[in-house]
DNA sequence: ATCAAAATATTGACAAAGTCCAGAATATCT
DNA sequence: AGATATTCTGGACTTTGTCAATATTTTGAT
């Protein structure tokens, strides 16, 4: 199982270290995880790892497109290992839950603006904002609707 | 000219204060402005205003939908007074410039996911990522393409 | 296996963006 | 005008993330 992760690192020209494996595993197993939660998981796995190592690894992995950053409003940066399929996100305004939503088109950029203003566009990121079922139910209880 | 801004505040049930007027004017006149820049403008206009008052005003105005927040990666939160037309944004990955792009559909949500997973969706936010003309030119110079 | 060079991790200080708190000041409504 | 609700001020604090110097580990060639 580590073999798979190690290979992914090596294939992208990165040294294989226990720290990076722990970070990559944490992100792979927990979609939309925050840096802080990665730190907790990695510390549990390795006994000790510095906060800086977490950020270094996350940034390196993101640069090499092994993982992807998402930065919803009002929440710290999150990371996911699902890359290359240009899917989108559905986020609850109340509790911040994030869901994956498949892109109808598949390849990036799946959408183009009416006027690109000379920009060279490589990605159209779509975030659907709303209320998740749980938060809807809770709001309804308060309203006694 | 202040009349207009004051009315907008009152119509949304907010007290009219010099601080809020200054903040609202700053955002109205400078699309995609940061909180920090708002502070500078407001201080220039009023002589003195606290950072806290800026954040209070920005948050209140955003809550009441008088202004809107945008949070591009790698840049502090930005604010714009153009609300209600559900337009989108075009952001340069290199220099962070932000442009407005009209939404082809017009009304929010202009787009719906293939599967809403029980969410009640009220907005589809689209961010186009790319390179602005200036950054393209600079990259080309380095490559001598 | 071993060693040197390059890459990576550790530690601790630091920075930016924003929030919390308690008391003072101000606007609105009657 | 006066009562009351709201807002402003100033400073401490939190969160998220980066910088820099030093130590350690990984890798590839002996």
């Amino acid at each position: 199982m580590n073999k798979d992760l190690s290979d992914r690192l090596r294939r992208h020209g990165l040294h294989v270290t226990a720290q990076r494996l722990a970070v990559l595993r944490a992100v792979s197993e927990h979609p939309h995880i925050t840096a802080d939660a990665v730190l907790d998981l990695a510390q549990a796995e390795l006994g000790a790892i510095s906060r800086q190592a977490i950020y270094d690894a996350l940034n390196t992995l993101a640069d090499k497109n092994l993982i992807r950053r998402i930065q919803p409003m009002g929440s710290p940066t999150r990371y996911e290992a699902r890359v290359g399929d240009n899917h989108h996100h559905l986020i609850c305004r109340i509790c911040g839950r994030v869901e994956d939503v498949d892109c109808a088109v598949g390849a990036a950029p799946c959408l183009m603006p009416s006027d690109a203003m000379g920009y060279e566009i490589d990605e159209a990121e779509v975030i659907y904002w709303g209320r998740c079922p749980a938060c809807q139910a809770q709001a309804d209880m308060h309203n006694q609707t």
Side-chain angles (χ1 to χ4, degrees), chain A:
Chain A
M1 41 166 60
N2 265 10
K3 209 78 202 306
D4 178 41
L5 296 177
S6 306
D7 283 352
R8 267 206 272 167
L9 288 173
R10 244 186 293 269
R11 229 177 304 122
H12 288 258
L14 296 174
H15 286 191
V16 177
T17 69
Q19 290 85 345
R20 282 178 179 169
L21 285 173
V23 168
L24 187 49
R25 173 162 30 246
V27 176
S28 298
E29 294 175 359
H30 300 81
H32 318 132
I33 195 174
T34 62
D36 212 52
V38 172
L39 176 59
D40 287 346
L41 287 171
Q43 280 179 337
E45 182 178 334
L46 302 178
I49 181 175
S50 67
R51 196 167 44 128
Q52 186 59 47
I54 300 293
Y55 279 107
D56 281 354
L58 287 172
N59 287 333
T60 306
L61 295 177
D63 283 353
K64 299 284 182 183
N65 290 312
L66 275 157
I67 63 178
R68 185 175 151 202
R69 259 183 278 256
I70 356 176
Q71 277 170 305
M73 302 200 298
S75 143
T77 303
R78 290 161 182 279
Y79 300 87
E80 66 183 0
R82 185 175 160 187
V83 293
D85 67 344
N86 191 241
H87 66 278
H88 301 308
H89 294 105
L90 180 48
I91 308 181
C92 177
R93 283 195 197 277
I94 316 290
C95 68
R97 264 185 69 182
V98 182
E99 314 279 355
D100 285 337
V101 182
D102 287 328
C103 175
V105 177
C110 56
L111 209 63
M112 287 299 274
S114 41
D115 175 7
M117 307 183 79
Y119 278 57
E120 184 185 279
I121 294 170
D122 58 69
E123 182 188 346
E125 178 184 4
V126 181
I127 299 180
Y128 297 99
W129 291 98
R131 289 190 307 168
C132 72
C135 288
Q136 285 174 50
Q138 200 174 2
D140 285 350
M141 279 186 39
H142 283 286
N143 295 347
Q144 294 298 349
T145 313

